[in-house]
């Protein structure tokens, strides 16, 4: 019984080390996301931090601010979603599909 417990603890330590390394790697991974046919472009990393934000001058219309706001909101939401999916997918490879609450 103690032998199995020791083996399980070693496996947990290895998984923890792999996850720590992966988390650091994911921080540097970037995704490019756009909305409005490329009028709003966002670069986001694995920590869901926006690294770059670009607007095509064609989408800046002072008489139609609502459309610009919608384009920005769509792009930001999509960028965050894709970043979260990237992290979740990468982590599930390390955890073997285990859903460990509070892990990511």
């Amino acid at each position: 019984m103690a032998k199995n417990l020791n083996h399980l603890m070693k496996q947990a330590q290895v998984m923890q080390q792999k996850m720590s390394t992966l988390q650091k790697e994911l921080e540097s991974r970037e995704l490019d996301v756009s909305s409005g046919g490329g009028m709003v472009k966002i670069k986001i990393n694995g920590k869901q931090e926006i690294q770059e934000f670009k607007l095509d001058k064609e989408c800046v219309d002072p008489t139609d601010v609502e459309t610009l706001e919608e384009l920005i909101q769509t792009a930001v939401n999509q960028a965050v979603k894709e970043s979260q999916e990237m992290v979740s997918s990468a982590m599930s490879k390390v955890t073997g599909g285990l859903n460990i609450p509070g892990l990511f």
Side-chain angles (χ1 to χ4, degrees):
M1 179 86 163
K3 201 174 203 182
N4 287 339
L5 185 58
N6 283 338
H7 179 68
L8 186 60
M9 293 297 287
K10 286 181 182 179
Q11 285 181 318
Q13 287 174 338
V14 168
M15 184 186 300
Q16 183 179 19
Q17 289 171 345
K18 287 181 180 180
M19 288 174 25
S20 178
T21 300
L22 181 59
Q23 284 175 326
K24 289 176 184 169
E25 178 192 325
L26 287 169
E27 290 175 9
S28 65
R29 282 193 197 173
E30 294 180 337
L31 297 169
D32 292 309
V33 180
S34 66
S35 70
M39 296 184 96
V40 176
K41 295 178 183 176
I42 294 177
K43 186 175 291 225
I44 190 167
N45 68 12
K47 288 176 63 177
Q48 287 80 54
E49 296 173 334
I50 294 176
Q51 302 297 302
E52 191 174 290
F53 184 90
K54 295 200 180 248
L55 292 175
D56 186 312
K57 64 183 175 183
E58 296 295 319
C59 72
V60 181
D61 180 355
T63 64
D64 188 12
V65 174
E66 288 179 5
T67 298
L68 179 57
E69 290 170 342
E70 288 175 16
L71 289 172
I72 292 170
Q73 182 178 3
T74 299
V76 170
N77 287 338
Q78 186 63 32
V80 170
K81 179 182 176 195
E82 288 186 26
S83 178
Q84 289 171 337
E85 288 172 354
M86 174 184 67
V87 169
S88 180
S89 174
M91 285 296 186
S92 71
K93 290 176 186 174
V94 171
T95 63
L98 294 174
N99 186 10
I100 303 170
L103 193 56
F104 51 89

